[in-house]
Amino acid sequence: MVPEAPFRSYYGQPVVKQPIWHEPHMPTYLYLGGLSGAAGAMAAAARLAGHDRLGLAARAAAFTAASAGTVFLVAELGRPERFLNMLRVFKLTSPMSVGSWTLAAHSGLTGVAAGSAVTGLLTPVGDAASVASGLSGLAMATYTAVLLADTAVPSWHEGMRELPFLFSGSALASAGAALMLTTPRAQAGPARAAAVAGAVTEVVAGELMERRLGLLGEPYRTGRAGRLMRASRALTLGGGLLATVAGRSRTLTALSGLAITAGALCTRFGVLEAGRVSAKDPRYTVVPQRDRLDASRPGR
């Protein structure tokens, strides 16, 4: 019998449409949205635990990141009214719709919480808004992973199990790094712990995803995406290790925070690039389909 020919191309054309998101707009929005969500959750926890100075920094970070993220999202969309049009309907079955409403609600809540903390006015209202933004922050930190996984892009869709952990870990590490840099070092212990926990979660989730995906993990390991993901792991691990020994050292704290921040940005840019590569090459669409078909045949 003639052996089955290996798949090389689909008439030289992609099978699925490549993502048209732009750089640096979309990956920066993904980073800022995650940071804001995790910072909002940390602000609520800090308030409940009595860490008032850390809570103030967390509220400010959550609002600043949400506001900047909205600017980058609007820049990605091209015109402000396009974002407003996304709020005309609410569909639970659409990650884009749910995400748009989550961003709008979270931005408003973080604004109220930060404004109350800075001015000292309407403290009960500010505290309630902080708790609510902590809940919306949990969605903000993870919904972007669902947004990517709910597409036909092979390396994103098949990474649906690990992407939420990768993004939430990165978000927690990013928020911890930001609060390490903006909170007095004597009161930044919880921020350092969050940065370390987030860094470990991000690195482990990324490694597990690349190994499980097999062929579809290749775009995360090769080319520009591979370089970005390797840089992300090195920076995130290095920053996490520094956070464990930084203590009250100004220099080590700064190096740790900057390394984790750079690592989180590399993760977003790397994931976006890997998705583009997997969509462009029809091999990443057709070969897994053939493998699933062969596995489903009787006697296989």
Side-chain angles (χ1 to χ4, degrees), residues 250-270:
R250 184 190 302 272
T251 301
L252 291 181
T253 297
L255 289 174
S256 173
L258 293 174
I260 291 174
T261 299
L265 284 167
C266 284
T267 294
R268 301 315 197 281
F269 279 84

Side-chain angles (χ1 to χ4, degrees), residues 7 62 83 90 101 117 149 184 214 252 278-279:
F7 177 81
F83 177 72
F90 178 75
W101 277 97
L252 291 181
S278 70

Side-chain angles (χ1 to χ4, degrees), residues 58-218:
R59 290 189 189 191
F63 173 63
T64 302
S67 301
T70 301
V71 171
F72 275 96
L73 179 58
V74 171
E76 169 65 30
L77 295 173
R79 296 197 301 268
E81 59 266 27
R82 289 179 176 172
F83 177 72
L84 297 177
N85 287 337
M86 294 166 65
L87 301 176
R88 294 174 63 186
V89 296
F90 178 75
K91 293 177 62 178
L92 283 174
T93 56
S94 170
M96 181 68 75
S97 176
V98 173
S100 300
W101 277 97
T102 300
L103 173 61
H106 182 74
S107 298
L109 291 169
T110 57
V112 173
S116 173
V118 171
T119 62
L121 301 175
L122 301 175
T123 299
V125 175
D127 290 345
S130 180
V131 171
S133 70
L135 297 175
S136 64
L138 298 177
M140 277 294 297
T142 55
Y143 102 86
T144 50
V146 179
L147 181 65
L148 298 184
D150 193 46
T151 65
V153 176
S155 290
W156 291 349
H157 183 72
E158 294 301 321
M160 66 177 70
R161 298 181 188 175
E162 295 87 2
L163 274 176
F165 293 98
L166 175 67
F167 275 30
S168 61
S170 182
L172 182 61
S174 301
L179 298 184
M180 285 167 54
L181 298 173
T182 56
T183 305
R185 290 178 297 282
Q187 303 174 47
R192 289 191 291 271
V196 173
V200 171
T201 302
E202 178 183 355
V203 171
V204 171
E207 286 285 349
L208 291 176
M209 180 177 69
E210 291 182 22
R211 293 182 182 182
R212 184 182 66 82
L213 291 183
L215 174 66
L216 291 177
E218 190 175 276

Side-chain angles (χ1 to χ4, degrees), residues 266-290:
C266 284
T267 294
R268 301 315 197 281
F269 279 84
V271 170
L272 185 64
E273 178 65 17
R276 286 177 175 155
V277 170
S278 70
K280 183 178 181 179
D281 190 339
R283 179 169 62 103
Y284 295 119
T285 301
V286 177
V287 172
Q289 289 178 343
R290 286 184 174 179

